Amino acid sequence: MEAVLFQAINRLEAVLAGESMALRSGDSTGLGDISNRKNQSLLELTRISRGIEPADFSDEMRERLGTLRERLDDNSRLLQMHIEATAEVADVITKAMAAAESDGTYGAHVSGARSAR
């Protein structure tokens, strides 16, 4: 049964490596497909692990699972960084759109005081 689990871990790690490479390079064209494959891999691991007791894992499997955990943590950090960057860009766009739509009547004045006419 561990052999099947090793294969599933290898597939998931390949998907994670592809996602990390795409995120680092800024190529978001295949991220939807990668996300689907990652979800499928995680589902596969869940199903396989139902039939295995963690106490029965070999030392090699424990090490392999530790490596997988590290890769999942790295992937999570990278995804979080991209989510935060996306939020920042969205905020800048939102502010720019609000400024473009405003006539300045109720906005803050850069000079600090409005001249009387």
Side-chain angles (χ1 to χ4, degrees):
M1 192 61 147
E2 279 194 9
V4 174
L5 187 54
F6 271 112
Q7 291 172 352
I9 290 170
N10 289 339
R11 283 190 290 276
L12 177 55
E13 286 182 337
V15 173
L16 292 172
E19 183 175 49
S20 295
M21 188 175 6
L23 289 170
R24 285 187 176 104
S25 71
D27 179 14
S28 61
T29 55
L31 288 179
D33 180 52
I34 289 171
S35 180
N36 289 336
R37 290 191 353 240
K38 187 166 60 171
N39 288 336
Q40 289 171 346
S41 290
L42 291 171
L43 178 62
E44 178 185 23
L45 281 174
T46 301
R47 288 179 176 162
I48 292 168
S49 66
R50 285 184 187 150
I52 301 174
E53 288 294 321
D56 296 337
F57 286 152
S58 67
D59 289 340
E60 184 181 10
M61 178 55 73
R62 290 179 198 281
E63 184 177 321
R64 194 75 174 93
L65 289 170
T67 300
L68 176 61
R69 166 61 68 195
E70 291 171 8
R71 292 192 175 147
L72 285 167
D73 289 344
D74 289 343
N75 182 260
S76 178
R77 281 189 291 276
L78 186 58
L79 286 169
Q80 186 62 38
M81 186 172 64
H82 277 268
I83 289 169
E84 289 169 4
T86 301
E88 287 179 25
V89 169
D91 186 50
V92 168
I93 292 170
T94 300
K95 287 177 181 174
M97 288 175 62
E101 291 175 357
S102 172
D103 65 0
T105 303
Y106 301 105
H109 299 285
V110 175
S111 64
R114 192 170 188 169
S115 58
R117 291 189 180 165

